Amino acid sequence: MPTGNPGRQTLEFTAADPLLASFPPVVARDTRTLILGSLPGAASLAVSQYYGHPRNGFWRLLSAITGDDLVAMPYQDRLQALLAHRIGLWDVVGTANRRGSLDSNMRNIVHNDLVDLLKQLPTLETIAFNGGTAERIGRKALGEMATGYRILALPSSSPAFTLPYADKLEQWMELEAEKK
């Protein structure tokens, strides 16, 4: 039986609901900036690509930051271009049950081992969270370890987060200081 606020429909999950998993990290030993999302959405999972939804602004935002036309590149070339700029990608959620793509629909969350990953990145300086859910989960998972890094809380690149692109870009440009 649904619980919670009257008039608000809550989600009930069963064993038949999909258990979704994040992609492997895209990092190199010389990664200086790590961008952490929450968990890939349905469109990204369907094409097995970080930020694979055609309306997600991630690749456009990173194009402005890196000066590379990442949007025009094949996916594997995009990843290599990010690594060349010493930018890595991963998600804070390793697995979760979720219907649809909204972070608010995630249940039974299991975190990725961020602490272990950071130990493998000796030149890491900045951790950027792509959206509020990533920041909330990521800061909790990192605990005191987060104090050793420059932390950026960026607005979500998701089309579900309706902040105008220009406003998102203004905040995402804080990453520009980290390129090359």
Side-chain angles (χ1 to χ4, degrees), residues 61-76:
L61 292 163
L62 268 288
S63 290
I65 292 161
T66 64
D68 294 339
D69 188 359
L70 300 170
V71 175
M73 293 180 187
Y75 178 68
Q76 290 302 321

Side-chain angles (χ1 to χ4, degrees), residues 4-38:
N5 296 338
R8 181 173 181 203
Q9 186 175 359
T10 59
L11 296 174
E12 290 191 37
F13 287 84
T14 69
D17 288 320
L19 179 65
L20 307 176
S22 67
F23 303 130
V26 176
V27 293
R29 283 201 47 83
D30 68 344
T31 296
R32 279 196 321 212
T33 300
L34 181 62
I35 301 173
L36 295 170
S38 54

Side-chain angles (χ1 to χ4, degrees), residues 76 93 125 129 147:
Q76 290 302 321
V93 176
E125 298 170 357
F129 294 108
T147 61

Side-chain angles (χ1 to χ4, degrees), residues 28-31 117-125 149:
R29 283 201 47 83
D30 68 344
T31 296
L117 179 69
L118 269 53
K119 289 177 183 175
Q120 299 174 49
L121 303 175
T123 62
L124 187 67
E125 298 170 357
Y149 301 94

